Amino acid sequence: MKILAVATTTALSLSAASAAKNPFAPKVTPKNPNSSYIGRLLSKARPTPNSQLRRLEDDAEVDISSYSIKFEKCQYIKQYADERDEDIDNVLETKRFVIFRLCPNDSCSSDSCVSNFGEYIVDMETYLESTLQHKQEEQEQYCQACEECENDDGAAGDDDAAGDDAARRRRKLVDVNCNSCYAQCQNIENMEENGYVDAAEYVNCAKVYENDNTGLVYYAGAICANSGRRIKVGLFTDEACSVYDPDVAVDQYLKNDNGYNVKLSYHLLKQTFVADECVASCTKVDENANDDDQAEVEVSEVCENLYEAAGKCETPYGFADGIDYSNSDNYDTQVANEEAVCDFISTIESGHFDETGEVVIQGGTAVYASSVQTTGGQKFALTFFVIGTVGLAAYAALLHSKIFKGRGADLSAQGAGNMA
């Protein structure tokens, strides 16, 4: 797993980075018609063959359909490069990570997601690919339900009435406001005509500007901002998007097909790092089910993909529905892997890396989190060493005093002899 590989090599990266110059909790879901409707469906839900996320090698089942994704933090980390570019005089490469939690549904605020949750770390590319796809689908469903609002006044026949009922159920699931949704969807549809472009189109590193005369080249890609609490689009000077240029405005170098400058719209991207609400629910309910049906509840694709790819830290937080390794033949290895991931996440959350991925230096020392504690034997040995050192120093001082006293006496005797 890439996360484990990075976690186990963090110490080496910290040592290398320290030698260099030292150069993001969602709100509780309101009790609205949407949440009440889903709650009634869930009360009648029964497991289906697809409702479990996956079956592990040791037949352990994991069902996270009652949880939601909560964004925690975005972080760059510089570490030793697996493959060094000969054109770049640097042995380090920049890795981009996102820490997120799986909190029980409707408990994504900072003061409610405090138990029975899991904490995870995944590369930023995977996180943005999964969450942006999910948000794009939600946006399409929202605007589709908005178009169906005009059918609320009734239908001419039974078939139309049945279709109208289905449309109402879809609107409940997406919580569409028929009074305001039209203007919102029109703004999204006419974005390019208004001189904007979706920022989500630029999260993957790609060339956006090149001047053949000056040789200036810029690449656009996702960056961590506001101490990791936000994700934005920035400009880089290399094709790997590792050398960020903070002195230029990204809008200045973005142009449409007609050569005109465009501005970035964060309406979609900002939903992937919301501060006081869940990013996405892992509950996927059949939109065609009615109140009397036993709705089939499955795990949403966004949660499935992220859980599959992420490094997991679940045991310390009492995550009830996590992976149970107790009967696994590789129990000790799994526990060690989880401890490595937990330590790695703790290092990041403790603020021991700056926004560029460099290790934070305090007093000439690279500071990073560690779960290692001093044992009783180590404390005794340290105490014995300190006391012994002090004792030796005192003894040396005593000897020094005696030597000088003896030498003084000899000199006195010699002086008396000469005078005689």
Side-chain angles (χ1 to χ4, degrees):
M1 183 184 293
K2 291 190 295 183
I3 301 300
L4 287 175
V6 173
T8 54
T9 58
T10 301
L12 293 176
S13 302
L14 290 169
S15 299
S18 62
K21 183 180 179 180
N22 184 33
F24 354 1
K27 65 183 178 181
V28 177
T29 301
K31 298 298 181 181
N32 53 30
N34 174 40
S35 60
S36 299
Y37 178 72
I38 294 179
R40 292 197 301 272
L41 291 179
L42 288 175
S43 66
K44 302 180 178 66
R46 297 294 182 270
T48 70
N50 295 323
S51 65
Q52 301 297 335
L53 173 61
R54 61 174 179 164
R55 185 174 296 272
L56 302 177
E57 292 181 359
D58 54 0
D59 261 4
E61 292 185 348
V62 178
D63 184 2
I64 55 174
S65 59
S66 60
Y67 292 83
S68 295
I69 297 172
K70 175 191 175 187
F71 175 86
E72 286 291 303
K73 188 176 184 178
C74 163
Q75 181 67 58
Y76 280 14
I77 292 180
K78 290 184 178 179
Q79 65 172 48
Y80 280 114
D82 295 331
E83 297 181 2
R84 182 180 175 185
D85 191 339
E86 296 180 355
D87 298 330
I88 301 178
D89 187 19
N90 196 345
V91 297
L92 302 178
E93 63 180 353
T94 303
K95 297 290 187 180
R96 302 163 175 83
F97 297 101
V98 168
I99 299 173
F100 68 94
R101 289 183 178 182
L102 286 182
C103 302
N105 279 338
D106 301 340
S107 63
C108 282
S109 64
S110 58
D111 58 352
S112 60
C113 186
V114 294
S115 63
N116 186 24
F117 68 89
E119 199 159 46
Y120 309 88
I121 183 168
V122 70
D123 61 280
M124 184 194 291
E125 182 179 356
T126 299
Y127 178 82
L128 289 178
E129 180 181 358
S130 298
T131 54
L132 284 173
Q133 179 181 348
H134 177 77
K135 289 302 179 180
Q136 182 65 48
E137 293 172 354
E138 277 190 342
Q139 179 177 288
E140 293 173 356
Q141 293 170 1
Y142 180 87
C143 290
Q144 179 183 358
C146 182
E147 292 179 359
E148 296 168 346
C149 283
E150 60 186 28
N151 298 325
D152 263 348
D153 294 334
D158 293 338
D159 292 341
D160 291 335
D164 195 44
D165 289 340
R168 277 194 291 268
R169 286 194 294 273
R170 283 193 293 272
R171 288 196 298 276
K172 288 180 180 178
L173 287 172
V174 299
D175 195 21
V176 62
N177 185 334
C178 292
N179 295 322
S180 61
C181 65
Y182 180 77
Q184 180 179 348
C185 292
Q186 284 298 302
N187 286 336
I188 296 173
E189 184 176 350
N190 299 325
M191 183 187 306
E192 294 184 5
E193 296 178 7
N194 295 327
Y196 286 86
V197 63
D198 197 335
E201 298 181 8
Y202 293 94
V203 296
N204 294 322
C205 190
K207 185 188 296 184
V208 294
Y209 177 83
E210 183 174 13
N211 190 316
D212 295 333
N213 296 325
T214 63
L216 181 62
V217 180
Y218 276 123
Y219 301 81
I223 62 171
C224 301
N226 290 29
S227 299
R229 303 303 172 186
R230 295 173 58 86
I231 300 176
K232 300 173 63 176
V233 174
L235 291 179
F236 300 80
T237 57
D238 65 310
E239 60 182 4
C241 285
S242 59
V243 184
Y244 172 57
D245 190 343
D247 299 325
V248 293
V250 61
D251 294 344
Q252 181 179 350
Y253 293 93
L254 295 182
K255 299 181 182 297
N256 59 20
D257 295 337
N258 297 322
Y260 294 102
N261 284 93
V262 292
K263 297 181 179 181
L264 289 175
S265 170
Y266 284 91
H267 80 285
L268 200 63
L269 183 57
K270 68 181 181 181
Q271 298 178 48
T272 67
F273 54 85
V274 285
D276 284 319
E277 56 186 280
C278 301
V279 173
S281 173
C282 296
T283 305
K284 181 180 179 181
V285 181
D286 184 2
E287 67 178 26
N288 295 318
N290 56 45
D291 295 348
D292 298 324
D293 288 340
Q294 291 184 346
E296 292 187 356
V297 178
E298 302 177 1
V299 177
S300 61
E301 185 176 358
V302 57
C303 292
E304 182 177 349
N305 291 338
L306 289 180
Y307 190 85
E308 182 85 21
K312 303 167 181 61
C313 181
E314 301 175 333
T315 303
Y317 307 111
F319 189 59
D321 295 296
I323 302 174
D324 183 7
Y325 298 118
S326 58
N327 296 322
S328 172
D329 294 336
N330 301 316
Y331 175 77
D332 293 337
T333 302
Q334 299 291 359
V335 170
N337 288 346
E338 184 179 32
E339 290 178 352
V341 173
C342 293
D343 287 346
F344 187 44
I345 293 176
S346 176
T347 298
I348 295 175
E349 290 183 328
S350 299
H352 296 137
F353 296 91
D354 63 18
E355 289 191 356
T356 67
E358 297 280 2
V359 180
V360 175
I361 306 296
Q362 294 181 1
T365 303
V367 182
Y368 56 94
S370 174
S371 62
V372 178
Q373 298 181 350
T374 306
T375 64
Q378 290 171 331
K379 292 179 180 178
F380 173 79
L382 181 61
T383 303
F384 179 80
F385 175 77
V386 172
I387 294 175
T389 301
V390 174
L392 288 173
Y395 181 64
L398 179 62
L399 289 177
H400 183 271
S401 177
K402 288 183 177 181
I403 291 172
F404 270 89
K405 285 182 179 180
R407 182 178 298 177
D410 292 340
L411 290 173
S412 297
Q414 291 176 5
N418 293 330
M419 292 176 63

